[in-house]
Amino acid sequence: MRYIGKSYPIHDAGSKAAGRAVYAGDMELKGMLHMALLFSTIPHGIVKHLDCSKALALPGVVDVIHCFNTTEKEYNQYQTQFGQDLVHTARIFNSHVRYVGDRIAGVIAETEAIARKAVSLIEVEYEEMAYSLDMFDTLTGKIDGIHETGAVFEGGEHVTGTKPEGEGLVEIHTATDLSRINHICMETHACVADYDRYGDELTVYSPNQTVYGIRTILGDIFEMDYNRIRVIKTTMGGSFGGKQEWVLEPVAAAAALRTGRPVKLVFNRSETMVSTYSRAPMHFDADFVFSEDGTLEGVDCDLLLDAGAYLGNSLNYARTVAHKLFRGYKYPYCRFHSRVALTNTIIGGAFRGWTSPEATIMFEHNMNMAARKLKMDPVDLRIKNVMHPGDEDPLIDTPIGNFKAEEALRQGREHFEWDKRKEEVRTFNQENTRYKRGLGVALGAHVNSFYPSKTDYARVDMRLSETGSVHCNITLHDHGCGTVTAFQMIAAEELGLPLNKVAVGEGDTRYTPLDVGCFSSRTTFVQGRATVECARKFKARLADHASRLAGIPAEDMVVEEETVHSVSRPEICYTWSQIADQSQQVLKQEVFVSYEYIPDSNPGVAGAHYALVEVDTYTGMTKILDYLAVHDIGQAINREICVAQTQGAVVMGSGAALSEHVITRANGRPCGSLKDYHVINSFEAPTVRVEFIEDGETEGPYGAKSIGEVCHTPVTAAVVGAVNDALDSDMNSIPLSPDVITGYLRERMER
């Protein structure tokens, strides 16, 4: 292929390197105002009185909006579609504050500095209430009155098959605890809103994962016709799920509607960590049943999820775990039950992989404990139970397609030299007292679309310019990782054009087609396929126009490179530029096509990750010595970008395994600084080898499947497994920080 499978820089790499890229936080509009917010300093209570007089008196302050002078309409920040069935408890500003960081008021001023100074002048009188910082505390009824809808929600129960009973079964029970972690994107949260009161149009500029989702929620909150709202996706500095729920957009829109001027709201790092949302803490109790030969017979799991102060996506998130339990392994019985508890802490929300990494951490730990009890090699146990091509996901009654998990496990085992390293690790640990080494393996799997559980579709429009170039109109949401370039490559490959003759933009609700957004790893698989099919239709339209211009049958015309020529009469040959011009002048038509694609499959995508770690038993510090990721990708579109995605995911997942944890103090105050929140830094990051299995046998463009979420799915589980192998331990309270490891070792010595 001409482009597919090769490597190209992302579309805006040059402008980013030169500092010319414009993010939402860089925008300047005529008459722009700036905004800063006042947040609750208590974990739970009622705002009895606000004194804004000193703030309003400060020169440069235009207005103060707050919980007593703005709409009290409730919404859910997770809403992305019209009529979505969600529990609505959030407001733009709250008089009943439910966590430290809850929004109370916002100052609108001529500069950000003035707005922030004015915020410090607002005086607040609270009536404090009982609070809960722990989901188990909530179950005692401590904060039942946090919302009218209550503090504990049933996620429901899924049961598949018949519970295994009888002789010769081996039972494995584990408890898994996952901490609250933050997305830590390079770009903090930012938004610009502008209201034209003369045209009654609200325009919002936002780095986000669905422009149409924002349009929908803003229309519902402010009771505006959707036609009066335009949302433009701006350059994004990372999301990882952190920009698929709406935190700043309703606030900035409220300010713009009130003033009739553009308003910019930019959170600093602390505000982004504390007052947006994070991955929710979770507690799993799981019982796995195996036959003596290692066959997995059943899974029984209860999940309790900490939603934080507002329900947000947490009910859907907890329920979705069940749907991820059948994406990697095949077994006859499963019972999964989930509950969600509110606490007076940071709101829980979407995170990269949307429950796949969390489910995998629990599942893979059980596989490791079972391998230990059954005296089986962990890789052998996984291969014995893995799903195979053609197997069906029983929860959605959908085949997983040409699923190459076993091949990924076997290839990883060979290239990581698993068997050889087992002996090397055993020898090293026998010869060393302080340092211990261990091996970990994890299988992660994910989806490629919403099908069939939710509506999924995509539309692409293509039009020909007079110079023979093509504009591809599609609603993309590039997170900063090269989506636009990948779609240029897909379109150019099918059209037979140079890359620079294909223009691809991003989401804008005024101009780009309706789309459900960048979720569920659907972008390449669904929108990419739509792009291929649209390009094929476009070439057929070119042949049709050329045949009408030449007066010969369309089936005699061949589209080749940048020309359309006749098979029977070689002298008849049009360039694309000529077709564009003559179509307008002679046929009175533009060369334009539109194609709508509805997926009817959701193949599985898998990654087998292998890790070698060294643990310092004196300090609890863990070093990752080697890492291999093998992914069933179908077909890499932009190869080096896919490699980079995977390498970045390993760093992210390793941080979740070893260090990342949002600390909440006893008074309810969370840490809001990278001084207290430890990510894996560049000097700590392991060298990550990445290998792809490419067979091109899916409905995706050129056989491509997803990579952006599945590459994060197995990481934490692989690293945790390696630490437990090194220490012959069974820890699964994540992260395995130095304090956790040394505490475990100390307790084990005292037994």
Side-chain angles (χ1 to χ4, degrees):
M1 288 185 280
R2 187 174 178 181
Y3 302 113
I4 300 301
K6 297 179 174 59
S7 299
Y8 294 89
I10 62 176
H11 72 288
D12 55 359
S15 62
K16 286 175 177 173
R20 297 278 295 173
V22 177
Y23 295 83
D26 299 320
M27 293 182 64
E28 293 292 337
L29 301 179
K30 184 177 180 180
M32 176 177 283
L33 298 171
H34 299 260
M35 194 175 191
L37 302 188
L38 175 69
F39 303 100
S40 171
T41 57
I42 64 170
H44 194 197
I46 303 296
V47 176
K48 302 296 290 181
H49 179 67
L50 277 177
D51 184 350
C52 303
S53 57
K54 293 178 183 177
L56 288 165
L58 188 69
V61 170
V62 174
D63 204 349
V64 178
I65 57 177
H66 49 72
C67 54
F68 299 122
N69 68 3
T70 53
T71 178
E72 294 185 357
K73 185 162 187 177
E74 295 183 332
Y75 61 93
N76 188 308
Q77 69 179 37
Y78 167 59
Q79 181 180 330
T80 57
Q81 294 183 7
F82 177 76
Q84 204 168 351
D85 183 19
L86 298 168
V87 177
H88 292 182
T89 53
R91 294 180 183 176
I92 294 174
F93 296 108
N94 297 284
S95 57
H96 181 171
V97 292
R98 297 171 173 93
Y99 72 109
V100 174
D102 211 348
R103 299 187 301 269
I104 298 175
V107 173
I108 308 164
E110 296 294 341
T111 69
E112 182 181 353
I114 294 172
R116 289 191 176 277
K117 183 176 180 180
V119 163
S120 70
L121 299 177
I122 299 175
E123 297 174 2
V124 187
E125 180 186 341
Y126 296 104
E127 176 188 325
E128 298 193 36
M129 301 170 65
Y131 59 90
S132 168
L133 305 180
D134 180 87
M135 52 189 165
F136 293 101
D137 240 7
T138 298
L139 297 181
T140 68
K142 190 171 184 179
I143 55 166
D144 281 350
I146 187 172
H147 293 287
E148 288 185 6
T149 48
V152 180
F153 299 82
E154 277 291 326
E157 186 171 81
H158 297 267
V159 179
T160 301
T162 303
K163 187 173 183 177
E165 295 178 347
E167 299 294 327
L169 296 177
V170 178
E171 297 184 6
I172 304 294
H173 173 76
T174 65
T176 297
D177 287 285
L178 306 181
S179 66
R180 177 178 285 108
I181 61 175
N182 196 271
H183 306 88
I184 311 295
C185 302
M186 293 184 70
E187 177 194 25
T188 60
H189 281 246
C191 178
V192 173
D194 187 12
Y195 178 60
D196 176 6
R197 57 177 46 148
Y198 306 104
D200 186 30
E201 181 170 277
L202 174 67
T203 303
V204 175
Y205 304 86
S206 163
N208 66 83
Q209 292 183 220
T210 168
V211 290
Y212 281 97
I214 295 175
R215 179 207 63 169
T216 299
I217 194 170
L218 293 181
D220 292 354
I221 292 172
F222 298 109
E223 299 178 355
M224 295 180 68
D225 190 290
Y226 291 175
N227 265 357
R228 314 315 306 167
I229 301 173
R230 180 184 180 190
V231 181
I232 301 170
K233 191 269 177 188
T234 59
T235 302
M236 184 188 291
S239 175
F240 314 117
K243 292 165 186 169
Q244 65 170 247
E245 299 178 36
W246 320 128
V247 182
L248 271 60
E249 290 82 0
V251 182
L257 288 165
R258 188 174 178 93
T259 61
R261 291 170 64 179
V263 178
K264 179 161 68 175
L265 175 58
V266 181
F267 273 6
N268 60 30
R269 178 61 62 187
S270 178
E271 291 165 341
T272 295
M273 291 181 69
V274 171
S275 297
T276 58
Y277 58 94
S278 298
R279 189 188 76 180
M282 296 184 186
H283 175 80
F284 292 91
D285 278 306
D287 290 286
F288 281 39
V289 177
F290 293 82
S291 60
E292 292 177 334
D293 68 352
T295 302
L296 179 58
E297 302 290 353
V299 171
D300 199 304
C301 182
D302 288 281
L303 167 65
L304 178 62
L305 181 148
D306 182 343
Y310 294 89
L311 193 58
N313 78 350
S314 290
L315 265 179
N316 299 61
Y317 208 78
R319 291 166 179 159
T320 301
V321 173
H323 290 272
K324 302 301 173 65
L325 297 181
F326 283 102
R327 297 305 290 186
Y329 296 101
K330 186 175 183 178
Y331 47 98
Y333 169 77
C334 180
R335 184 198 72 89
F336 176 82
H337 171 253
S338 62
R339 281 190 299 173
V340 171
L342 298 174
T343 57
N344 299 108
T345 60
I346 296 170
I347 302 167
F351 204 89
R352 186 179 190 176
W354 236 86
T355 76
S356 284
E358 297 94 315
T360 299
I361 294 166
M362 177 275 295
F363 209 108
E364 294 296 290
H365 182 63
N366 277 273
M367 296 297 283
N368 288 334
M369 296 301 103
R372 188 178 293 179
K373 190 168 184 176
L374 292 164
K375 296 183 172 21
M376 289 184 66
D377 180 274
V379 180
D380 288 338
L381 183 62
R382 285 164 172 81
I383 290 173
K384 187 174 186 65
N385 291 288
V386 77
M387 297 178 85
H388 295 99
D391 284 346
E392 188 170 278
D393 182 332
L395 285 185
I396 56 175
D397 298 321
T398 302
I400 60 166
N402 195 22
F403 187 62
K404 295 297 185 70
E406 181 178 352
E407 186 175 335
L409 284 164
R410 292 188 183 279
Q411 181 171 314
R413 178 182 203 155
E414 178 185 350
H415 294 180
F416 197 68
E417 298 183 303
W418 175 267
D419 296 319
K420 177 184 175 184
R421 281 182 159 172
K422 281 172 63 176
E423 293 303 317
E424 292 174 348
V425 163
R426 185 178 294 111
T427 301
F428 179 90
N429 289 343
Q430 288 172 350
E431 296 174 351
N432 289 271
T433 302
R434 177 173 178 176
Y435 297 99
K436 299 294 182 181
R437 290 183 178 176
L439 295 170
V441 58
L443 175 69
H446 199 58
V447 297
N448 279 276
S449 69
F450 282 131
Y451 177 86
S453 54
K454 288 176 65 176
T455 300
D456 204 344
Y457 52 86
R459 193 185 100 212
V460 182
D461 305 328
M462 289 185 181
R463 56 189 298 192
L464 181 66
S465 80
E466 294 86 341
T467 56
S469 58
V470 173
H471 178 73
C472 180
N473 188 30
I474 182 170
T475 301
L476 296 179
H477 301 84
D478 194 318
H479 297 192
C481 56
T483 303
V484 168
T485 298
F487 274 73
Q488 284 180 305
M489 294 168 69
I490 291 169
E493 185 74 50
E494 192 60 38
L495 292 169
L497 289 177
L499 281 178
N500 62 4
K501 299 205 78 171
V502 177
V504 179
E506 297 193 68
D508 181 337
T509 57
R510 177 178 285 176
Y511 299 116
T512 61
L514 181 68
D515 190 77
V516 298
C518 183
F519 308 118
S520 203
S521 288
R522 61 176 293 274
T523 298
T524 297
F525 186 75
V526 178
Q527 292 182 288
R529 171 66 182 274
T531 301
V532 169
E533 296 299 332
C534 187
R536 290 171 180 167
K537 187 175 180 181
F538 183 86
K539 289 189 291 185
R541 182 64 54 86
L542 276 172
D544 173 68
H545 279 236
S547 75
R548 289 159 61 194
L549 290 168
I552 60 177
E555 54 267 24
D556 192 44
M557 305 302 292
V558 175
V559 180
E560 209 165 53
E561 296 296 327
E562 297 176 68
T563 64
V564 182
H565 63 85
S566 168
V567 175
S568 61
R569 298 173 58 188
E571 72 276 10
I572 297 178
C573 181
Y574 297 93
T575 66
W576 287 25
S577 177
Q578 289 172 327
I579 293 174
D581 177 53
Q582 293 190 40
S583 290
Q584 294 176 33
Q585 302 303 323
V586 178
L587 303 179
K588 312 302 181 188
Q589 286 183 317
E590 180 183 27
V591 181
F592 168 86
V593 297
S594 181
Y595 183 83
E596 294 177 296
Y597 174 66
I598 302 172
D600 59 2
S601 67
N602 190 346
V605 59
H609 286 210
Y610 290 80
L612 170 65
V613 305
E614 182 176 280
V615 183
D616 183 342
T617 61
Y618 289 10
T619 66
M621 298 291 289
T622 299
K623 183 188 299 182
I624 303 173
L625 302 177
D626 194 16
Y627 201 99
L628 172 66
V630 182
H631 277 276
D632 161 32
I633 196 174
Q635 169 65 60
I637 300 297
N638 191 338
R639 185 168 304 280
E640 200 57 38
I641 294 300
C642 293
V643 171
Q645 278 265 34
T646 308
Q647 291 170 330
V650 171
V651 175
M652 173 179 278
S654 299
L658 300 174
S659 61
E660 294 190 36
H661 171 47
V662 177
I663 300 167
T664 303
R665 300 171 182 87
N667 61 4
R669 292 180 180 272
C671 75
S673 166
L674 292 176
K675 175 177 69 68
D676 300 313
Y677 184 94
H678 303 294
V679 297
I680 298 290
N681 293 310
S682 58
F683 73 90
E684 301 170 293
T687 298
V688 180
R689 293 177 286 144
V690 180
E691 299 176 5
F692 295 132
I693 297 171
E694 298 172 274
D695 53 45
E697 297 179 8
T698 74
E699 296 78 6
Y702 305 102
K705 297 193 283 190
S706 63
I707 190 65
E709 292 186 281
V710 71
C711 60
H712 178 239
T713 297
V715 180
T716 302
V719 174
V720 169
V723 172
N724 280 322
D725 182 58
L727 302 176
D728 192 26
S729 55
D730 59 357
M731 296 179 289
N732 211 31
S733 181
I734 313 300
L736 299 186
S737 64
D739 287 346
V740 170
I741 290 173
T742 54
Y744 174 89
L745 294 174
R746 187 183 307 112
E747 181 182 330
R748 189 163 71 177
M749 287 177 61
E750 294 171 353
R751 289 175 191 165

